[in-house]
Amino acid sequence: MRIALDGMGGDNAPISNVKGAVDAINEYKNVEIIVTGDKETLENEFAKYNFDKSRLEIIHTTEVVRNEDKPVKAIRSKKDSSMVVALKLVKDGQADAIVSAGNTGALLAGGLFVVGRIKGIDRPCLCPTIPNINKGMTILADGGANADCKPRNLIEFAAMSNIYAKKVLDIENPRVALANVGAEEGKGNDLVKKSYEELKTLNLNFIGNVEARDVINDATDIIVCDGFTGNILLKSVEGVALSVMKLIKETLMSSTKSKIGALLIKDDMRKLKDFMDYSEYGGAPLLGVKGGVIKAHGSSDSKAIKNAIRQAIKFTEGNVVEDIKCFIDEYSKKEEEKANGDEE
Amino acid sequence: MRIALDGMGGDNAPISNVKGAVDAINEYKNVEIIVTGDKETLENEFAKYNFDKSRLEIIHTTEVVRNEDKPVKAIRSKKDSSMVVALKLVKDGQADAIVSAGNTGALLAGGLFVVGRIKGIDRPCLCPTIPNINKGMTILADGGANADCKPRNLIEFAAMSNIYAKKVLDIENPRVALANVGAEEGKGNDLVKKSYEELKTLNLNFIGNVEARDVINDATDIIVCDGFTGNILLKSVEGVALSVMKLIKETLMSSTKSKIGALLIKDDMRKLKDFMDYSEYGGAPLLGVKGGVIKAHGSSDSKAIKNAIRQAIKFTEGNVVEDIKCFIDEYSKKEEEKANGDEE
């Protein structure tokens, strides 16, 4: 199995990327890693570590997609960037999956235009995870790839993330829910109401609607919504968690008594911080394209990169792409039959 | 000035409602309060306090709108409920505004069907507030009244909440922003993109897009969105804040060392809890109807009720309804002229 790693993408590239690749090579014995980026820089970094060099390949690239680049333009014009070259490896079958911590929009565009959509899938979706208070996580589908959606899109998101949850996250019978403004059937906007009807007919463990406030309380394994709503949900959770942690820190420093108290609770509070630690959770997959595309967090450290590589391995071993193809073939056939039936 | 108070609405009714009314009468010398509900129960409660009884009127009602009641049905069938009778007082001009901590959906329906929309306003909006880390608050418009919206609705929400922010919350030149998935112009779904164009032309301090993660960081005074998005945003913030507080509590109880630490930080942590204390902020106004309609939180204590009454007083003194009428008359005229211009 071969995983492509965008060596120059992310806030801590290439140092964390290289260290993450080395740790993955040492830990996962069946993987070969192809790293794209400036050859000299990468070689100097890799020289610092001991690992099986026969399982590493470096492909020299001369450009880097920056966070401030316009996504589609970057993918089209920066042909020799570490991201685009890594995406091409997947497209050409030289790699099974790509991991990148670079520009999210560009990776989405690259997934669509370079790797390509699975036939029948209308809109691929990005699936980040939201940590929950039970130390598990909830998959968000879609987390921001598609701002405007039709019910058909939400059906695809639900089915694809369900496959991913089973195959990559080892959740046996994932609970699938719609993000909504109330728990009862019949709540929500037009999109959600129509999607609800359709989701009931699918072969899924569909548990109905879940309110935004319960996502963090482990109310579901998968939360389905349009990408606009998904982004609002994800960013609110991130924003409030970070802000409350900051407020706590300020509170603990606000008096001498509290400062002493802070010393005593330090060890236990570290566990709380871990709860919000993105490196534990690896990256977000782009589901619905013809290969594994894993978006690691922009601020990924080496542990996050290694975990994203592990995800890419499980994604490949689990035949997620094949399963999605099977689902959409069957679903499209059923939809066609329904349409024909309506005509008669 | 006369304020109607739904005496039976809310988790802590009528005890908190009565105490809140008494405190309001004692504190705000220009207000008369009309409380609706079971006369005997209310009289027994009011008998516990000292206050100017000439400024209180009790209207006996025999029914109560429950949280589990279907909103529209409740308003139509429970004609002698404390909520509907209080709403009618506003409609008939016997009260300037109503405060209720009861069923939110029913109060919205009652605002529309009993009090009635201001002519020209397509959709009234509910405007709860989200606390921010600077100990201020951000007004959410719409916070959940309208799941599906057109750009015209968002324009109304922005203009109405701007008037409210100035007149009731004393914000001189409120910052108005769209909730969006990125800060740059051109981001977002169709609704947001079209609304952005229109908001630029209005006489508002429109600061563009704000991401969900920055709402809690005091990035804007007013955040404008459709009610579905608004509910997702509001409930995520509430959910995460509550869950993180719960996690902290658990963390502080997880070892003897932390338990001692917890005792030392207790006083300062209480301040942090205040940050999330809804009773400080009073209620959410329903803007766009022909009178003041203030929704107090379902779990309102007497302080929250008193603060909601204060809001109703400021709403009335500030002539918010008149200002909204002026805005929509002018806006409708401009829209008509534009339409005529297009035809020529």
Side-chain angles (χ1 to χ4, degrees):
Chain A
M1 155 157 14
R2 295 160 65 86
I3 307 296
L5 173 65
D6 171 1
M8 313 303 275
D11 305 341
N12 308 312
I15 295 172
S16 292
N17 306 35
V18 165
K19 176 72 164 55
V22 167
D23 291 344
I25 289 173
N26 286 334
E27 197 163 325
Y28 315 122
K29 295 305 174 193
N30 58 343
V31 70
E32 290 173 33
I33 294 184
I34 314 171
V35 185
T36 54
D38 182 73
K39 197 160 190 173
E40 202 185 321
T41 313
L42 289 172
E43 276 176 349
N44 287 342
E45 271 303 314
F46 275 110
K48 295 177 184 166
Y49 304 101
N50 276 323
F51 62 100
D52 177 359
K53 292 190 176 55
S54 73
R55 283 159 53 212
L56 171 74
E57 186 184 338
I58 295 174
I59 294 183
H60 180 64
T61 58
T62 55
E63 291 175 295
V64 176
V65 175
R66 306 276 170 202
N67 272 340
E68 57 275 19
D69 286 347
K70 295 260 174 207
V72 177
K73 202 181 153 199
I75 292 299
R76 291 204 171 132
S77 64
K78 292 189 165 177
K79 298 278 185 209
D80 198 40
S81 62
S82 57
M83 186 189 281
V84 172
V85 171
L87 284 160
K88 282 218 174 103
L89 291 170
V90 179
K91 180 196 162 59
D92 298 341
Q94 290 174 267
D96 299 292
I98 170 182
V99 168
S100 174
N103 182 322
T104 307
L107 190 68
L108 292 181
L112 281 175
F113 301 135
V114 180
V115 179
R117 270 186 302 138
I118 292 172
K119 199 186 147 210
I121 293 290
D122 186 39
R123 299 278 193 86
C125 70
L126 184 70
C127 296
T129 50
I130 297 178
N132 65 48
I133 55 163
N134 290 343
K135 301 190 178 166
M137 51 187 141
T138 302
I139 302 166
L140 186 57
D142 172 24
N146 309 282
D148 288 290
C149 289
K150 296 170 302 210
R152 164 76 184 234
N153 304 128
L154 267 58
I155 305 310
E156 291 177 355
F157 301 165
M160 295 194 293
S161 56
N162 183 58
I163 293 166
Y164 175 80
K166 283 183 178 175
K167 292 299 188 74
V168 180
L169 303 181
D170 302 317
I171 304 171
E172 213 174 296
N173 189 25
R175 293 163 297 169
V176 180
L178 280 165
N180 208 338
V181 300
E184 314 85 46
E185 188 172 348
K187 287 264 176 183
N189 56 18
D190 278 351
L191 172 67
V192 168
K193 285 183 207 165
K194 286 178 186 154
S195 304
Y196 193 107
E197 287 308 308
E198 184 70 16
L199 279 171
K200 282 200 297 190
T201 70
L202 255 65
N203 185 20
L204 289 172
N205 179 15
F206 177 56
I207 60 166
N209 297 319
V210 160
E211 284 193 71
R213 81 169 109 212
D214 293 322
V215 172
I216 196 172
N217 293 325
D218 197 16
T220 182
D221 297 305
I222 296 169
I223 186 99
V224 177
C225 54
D226 67 87
F228 187 87
T229 302
N231 182 283
I232 296 283
L233 182 56
L234 181 69
K235 298 289 178 66
S236 314
V237 171
E238 276 185 23
V240 176
L242 287 172
S243 295
V244 172
M245 291 305 276
K246 199 180 137 205
L247 272 178
I248 292 171
K249 257 192 203 159
E250 285 172 12
T251 304
L252 292 178
M253 290 297 120
S254 63
S255 72
T256 312
K257 216 168 79 177
S258 282
K259 275 182 199 168
I260 300 166
L263 286 174
L264 290 163
I265 63 171
K266 209 171 152 188
D267 293 340
D268 287 324
M269 285 301 264
R270 197 163 289 143
K271 291 176 213 155
L272 180 64
K273 213 181 143 270
D274 285 347
F275 156 72
M276 279 296 153
D277 187 353
Y278 282 87
S279 63
E280 287 293 336
Y281 302 111
L286 177 68
L287 300 176
V289 294
K290 291 182 272 185
V293 176
I294 308 288
K295 170 67 180 78
H297 208 273
S299 59
S300 288
D301 57 14
S302 61
K303 189 175 160 196
I305 296 288
K306 191 201 74 178
N307 283 344
I309 293 172
R310 187 188 61 201
Q311 260 174 294
I313 294 171
K314 291 196 79 171
F315 190 99
T316 307
E317 285 175 346
N319 291 314
V320 173
V321 171
E322 283 310 309
D323 282 12
I324 292 176
K325 279 180 188 166
C326 285
F327 157 76
I328 199 66
D329 283 351
E330 219 172 282
Y331 184 75
S332 302
K333 221 176 280 168
K334 257 178 43 191
E335 286 293 286
E336 232 169 83
E337 278 165 22
K338 230 197 280 174
N340 288 337
D342 286 349
E343 276 169 27
E344 278 161 23
Chain B
M1 160 161 8
R2 293 159 67 88
I3 307 295
L5 173 65
D6 171 2
M8 311 304 274
D11 305 342
N12 308 313
I15 296 174
S16 293
N17 306 33
V18 166
K19 175 75 163 55
V22 168
D23 291 344
I25 290 172
N26 285 334
E27 197 163 324
Y28 314 121
K29 296 302 173 197
N30 57 343
V31 70
E32 290 173 35
I33 296 186
I34 314 170
V35 185
T36 55
D38 182 73
K39 195 159 192 173
E40 202 185 323
T41 314
L42 289 173
E43 277 176 346
N44 286 341
E45 272 304 315
F46 275 110
K48 295 177 185 167
Y49 305 100
N50 276 324
F51 61 98
D52 177 359
K53 289 185 178 62
S54 72
R55 282 159 53 212
L56 171 74
E57 185 183 341
I58 296 175
I59 296 184
H60 179 64
T61 59
T62 56
E63 293 174 294
V64 176
V65 174
R66 306 276 171 202
N67 272 339
E68 57 275 19
D69 285 347
K70 296 260 175 208
V72 176
K73 203 182 150 198
I75 292 300
R76 289 204 172 133
S77 64
K78 292 189 165 175
K79 298 277 185 210
D80 198 40
S81 62
S82 57
M83 187 189 281
V84 172
V85 171
L87 283 160
K88 282 220 176 100
L89 292 172
V90 178
K91 180 194 160 59
D92 298 340
Q94 291 174 270
D96 299 292
I98 170 184
V99 168
S100 174
N103 184 322
T104 306
L107 190 67
L108 293 181
L112 281 174
F113 302 134
V114 180
V115 180
R117 269 186 300 138
I118 291 172
K119 199 186 147 209
I121 292 290
D122 186 37
R123 301 276 195 90
C125 70
L126 184 70
C127 297
T129 49
I130 298 178
N132 67 46
I133 54 164
N134 290 342
K135 303 190 175 165
M137 50 187 143
T138 301
I139 302 166
L140 187 57
D142 171 25
N146 308 283
D148 289 289
C149 289
K150 296 170 301 210
R152 163 75 184 237
N153 304 129
L154 267 59
I155 305 310
E156 291 177 356
F157 301 165
M160 295 192 294
S161 55
N162 182 59
I163 292 166
Y164 176 79
K166 283 182 177 175
K167 291 300 189 73
V168 180
L169 304 180
D170 303 317
I171 304 172
E172 209 174 301
N173 189 24
R175 294 163 296 167
V176 179
L178 280 164
N180 208 339
V181 301
E184 314 84 49
E185 187 171 350
K187 286 265 177 183
N189 57 18
D190 278 350
L191 172 66
V192 168
K193 285 182 207 165
K194 284 176 188 155
S195 304
Y196 194 107
E197 287 309 308
E198 185 69 17
L199 280 171
K200 283 200 297 190
T201 69
L202 255 65
N203 186 20
L204 289 172
N205 180 14
F206 177 54
I207 60 166
N209 298 317
V210 160
E211 285 194 69
R213 80 169 108 215
D214 294 322
V215 172
I216 196 172
N217 294 325
D218 197 15
T220 181
D221 297 304
I222 296 170
I223 186 97
V224 177
C225 53
D226 65 87
F228 186 87
T229 302
N231 183 283
I232 296 282
L233 182 56
L234 181 69
K235 297 288 178 69
S236 314
V237 171
E238 275 185 22
V240 176
L242 287 172
S243 295
V244 171
M245 290 306 275
K246 199 178 137 205
L247 272 177
I248 292 171
K249 258 191 202 159
E250 284 170 15
T251 305
L252 292 179
M253 291 296 119
S254 63
S255 73
T256 313
K257 215 168 82 178
S258 282
K259 276 182 197 166
I260 300 166
L263 286 175
L264 289 163
I265 63 172
K266 212 171 148 187
D267 293 340
D268 287 324
M269 285 300 264
R270 197 163 289 144
K271 289 177 214 152
L272 180 63
K273 214 181 142 271
D274 285 347
F275 155 71
M276 279 297 156
D277 187 354
Y278 282 87
S279 63
E280 287 292 339
Y281 302 112
L286 177 66
L287 301 177
V289 294
K290 291 182 269 184
V293 177
I294 308 288
K295 170 68 181 77
H297 208 274
S299 60
S300 288
D301 56 13
S302 61
K303 189 174 160 196
I305 296 287
K306 190 200 75 179
N307 283 343
I309 293 171
R310 188 188 56 202
Q311 260 174 292
I313 295 170
K314 289 195 79 170
F315 190 98
T316 308
E317 286 176 344
N319 291 315
V320 173
V321 171
E322 283 310 309
D323 281 12
I324 292 176
K325 279 181 188 166
C326 284
F327 158 76
I328 198 65
D329 282 351
E330 217 172 287
Y331 184 74
S332 302
K333 221 177 279 171
K334 255 177 45 189
E335 286 294 286
E336 232 171 83
E337 279 165 22
K338 233 198 275 176
N340 289 338
D342 286 350
E343 275 169 30
E344 276 161 24

